[in-house]
């Protein structure tokens, strides 16, 4: 269809009251297979936070914004679907097919993971003497805390006894002097 034919079809469609066809944007042809992302998407960076937003359109709108496609998604699931979708990958120049791994690549990956797990297991080896020392220190700290607690309880009991004897002495003194009390109705 030539440019003249497109213009005449738009004029005819406009005169008949029909909407003109939407022009679809031509996306570049995908040249490479699907690749792994270089960095994290950070979808959970604002998780659990309350943020006051203004209702706007474009990059400043609330939600997740894709600079490549100039599109805003309202939630992380929709954004993730868009990032993994055909249109976004096409704009990046990638297809949705994954590159097939060779046997050498698989063996190299397995060897890498084995080394990684060996290093992790070596890092977890425990020095039992050090571990026992830490446990003993914790037990001693717990004992000291228990001692302090008992001391505080005993001191509180002593204070109660001292206060009780003081009030008894005051009552006995009042009786000796012939008073019924010093004006207190409490006993």
């Amino acid at each position: 269809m030539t440019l003249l034919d497109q213009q005449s079809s738009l004029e005819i469609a406009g005169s008949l009251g029909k909407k003109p066809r939407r022009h679809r944007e031509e996306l570049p042809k995908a040249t490479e297979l699907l690749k792994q992302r270089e960095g994290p998407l950070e979808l959970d960076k604002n998780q659990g936070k309350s943020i006051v937003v203004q209702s706007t359109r474009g990059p400043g709108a609330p939600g997740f914004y894709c600079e490549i496609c100039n599109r805003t998604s309202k939630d992380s699931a929709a954004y993730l679907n868009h990032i993994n979708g055909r249109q976004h990958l096409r704009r990046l120049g990638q297809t949705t097919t994954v590159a097939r791994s060779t046997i050498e690549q698989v063996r190299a990956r397995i060897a890498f993971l084995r080394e990684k797990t060996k290093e992790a297991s070596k890092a977890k080896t425990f020095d039992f003497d050090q571990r026992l020392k830490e446990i003993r220190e914790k037990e001693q700290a717990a004992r000291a805390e228990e001692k302090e607690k008992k001391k505080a309880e005993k001191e509180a009991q002593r204070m109660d006894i001292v206060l009780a004897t003081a009030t008894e002495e005051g009552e006995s003194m009042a009786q000796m002097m012939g008073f019924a009390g010093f004006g207190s109705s409490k006993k």
Side-chain angles (χ1 to χ4, degrees):
M1 202 176 208
T2 65
L3 184 62
L4 188 59
D5 291 337
Q6 285 179 346
Q7 287 177 347
S8 64
S9 66
L10 287 175
E11 290 171 1
I12 293 170
S15 64
L16 297 176
K18 295 181 182 177
K19 290 183 178 179
R21 282 190 171 176
R22 261 180 91 186
H23 176 66
R24 245 186 158 180
E25 183 181 348
E26 292 297 320
L27 298 176
K29 190 72 173 170
T31 56
E32 55 187 22
L33 296 175
L34 187 63
K35 292 191 295 187
Q36 185 177 0
R37 286 187 201 95
E38 285 87 31
L41 291 177
E42 298 177 353
L43 296 177
D44 57 350
K45 66 179 177 182
N46 287 331
Q47 185 176 6
K49 294 181 182 175
S50 297
I51 300 172
V52 178
V53 294
Q54 298 171 345
S55 59
T56 58
R57 295 185 63 92
F64 297 91
Y65 182 71
C66 175
E67 292 91 8
I68 296 168
C69 303
N70 194 20
R71 185 173 175 182
T72 303
S73 302
K74 295 293 179 193
D75 58 358
S76 61
Y79 180 68
L80 193 58
N81 285 339
H82 167 73
I83 294 294
N84 294 331
R86 183 176 289 141
Q87 182 184 16
H88 181 82
L89 292 174
R90 189 87 179 265
R91 287 181 192 258
L92 289 175
Q94 298 178 7
T95 63
T96 54
T97 51
V98 180
R100 192 163 171 92
S101 299
T102 62
I103 292 175
E104 292 81 27
Q105 289 173 333
V106 172
R107 286 183 181 153
R109 183 70 178 169
I110 290 172
F112 169 73
L113 292 174
R114 279 188 184 150
E115 288 297 320
K116 192 174 178 182
T117 55
K118 282 181 185 177
E119 289 174 9
S121 66
K122 286 179 184 176
K124 287 184 180 178
T125 56
F126 295 107
D127 182 11
F128 289 108
D129 294 331
Q130 178 68 23
R131 183 91 167 121
L132 285 174
K133 185 179 176 183
E134 289 174 2
I135 291 171
R136 285 184 187 132
E137 288 174 358
K138 285 181 183 177
E139 288 175 353
Q140 287 176 354
R143 284 185 197 134
E145 186 177 322
E146 191 67 30
K147 249 185 184 178
E148 289 296 321
K149 192 176 183 182
K150 284 183 181 179
K151 240 186 205 182
E153 287 177 5
K154 283 184 180 180
E155 187 63 33
Q157 286 177 351
R158 284 186 193 140
M159 291 303 290
D160 288 342
I161 292 171
V162 168
L163 289 175
T165 57
T167 55
E168 287 176 10
E169 288 176 4
E171 286 177 5
S172 63
M173 183 65 78
Q175 285 177 354
M176 284 174 43
M177 296 178 127
F179 300 124
F182 286 116
S184 172
S185 62
K186 293 183 183 177
K187 280 201 170 186

